[in-house]
Amino acid sequence: MPQFVIGDEFFAGYRIQDEPRAELLASCSQWKRFGADIPDRVQYRGILKTEDQQRTNSCAGHMGSSGVEYLNYLATREMKQFSRWFSYITGQKESGHYGRDQGTTISGIIRALNKVGICREATVPFPGYYQTRVPQEAYTEAEEVKLLKWFSIDSVADLVEWIGSGRGPVFSGMAWRQSMASPKPGGIIDSYSGAALGGHATLWTGYD
């Protein structure tokens, strides 16, 4: 199993090599493409927060919590912060990576959101370092917010129609390459090259 190291730090926020892709695809529900007109641009900057995972490998947890925030906003037009760390820790438990800051898989996050749910950020705040303490009240609260269905996005056209028709965000994972460590001003990444530094989980929320 490959491991990626920068200096003396393990870097594998998204366990791309451990993702059970066939199992994940088999768990997806079917969705019908509308073929309807969609906007030329969808953007949630200023509504969803850009959050810093700091020196942790919790990117998949951020993806999970922000995905629920997006869905909640679509349903209520209210912004509510859900716990990135709770999503990360429960995702690790589902993927078998619990106990060390070594990331998790998208399927682990999805299973956790489906089985356990997610609590508010105020109940389990982001600590900025790896720790596993989660109060029981967080699990009780999380029962109220669960992901019931998820779907497979198979192309850029699907991604644009899914987001453009207001159905939700897209969970994604990729190999993180050397060129991506130095984005342009505004966080723009326009090069995908160099050695793989590990895996990174992201949330697709819009397009232009």
Side-chain angles (χ1 to χ4, degrees), residues 11-13 25 30 41 49 55 66 75 78-79 97-98 102 112 118 133 149 156 163 185 191 196-197 207:
F11 182 84
L25 286 171
Q30 297 297 312
R41 185 170 184 256
K49 288 185 178 180
R55 301 184 73 81
S66 292
E78 294 179 359
M79 186 58 208
H97 297 105
Y98 179 74
Q102 57 183 327
I118 190 169
R133 293 185 303 277
K149 289 184 179 181
V156 172
I163 294 175
S191 174
L197 302 179
Y207 59 84

Side-chain angles (χ1 to χ4, degrees), residues 162-178:
W162 181 267
I163 294 175
S165 57
R167 301 189 204 197
V170 175
F171 289 0
S172 175
M174 68 185 78
W176 193 256
R177 297 197 173 276
Q178 214 158 20

Side-chain angles (χ1 to χ4, degrees), residues 39-106:
D40 292 332
R41 185 170 184 256
V42 174
Q43 185 179 75
Y44 284 89
R45 287 181 182 270
I47 298 172
L48 292 172
K49 288 185 178 180
T50 300
E51 295 166 325
D52 188 354
Q53 71 186 72
Q54 299 178 31
R55 301 184 73 81
T56 72
N57 285 308
S58 62
C59 56
H62 283 70
M63 175 196 70
S65 62
S66 292
V68 174
E69 290 164 9
Y70 189 116
L71 290 167
N72 180 72
Y73 183 80
L74 288 178
T76 67
R77 293 301 171 190
E78 294 179 359
M79 186 58 208
K80 184 182 291 187
Q81 291 291 124
F82 291 96
S83 176
R84 342 172 225 171
W85 199 254
F86 185 85
S87 178
Y88 179 41
I89 291 298
T90 55
Q92 278 198 316
K93 286 183 176 180
E94 289 296 323
S95 69
H97 297 105
Y98 179 74
R100 182 183 175 198
D101 188 18
Q102 57 183 327
T104 185
T105 59
I106 290 175

Side-chain angles (χ1 to χ4, degrees), residues 14 19-28 106-108 110-111 150 152:
Y14 171 49
E19 187 71 79
R21 290 175 180 80
E23 178 185 315
L24 181 57
L25 286 171
S27 72
C28 292
I106 290 175
S107 55
I110 287 175
R111 287 199 304 270
W150 48 96
S152 173

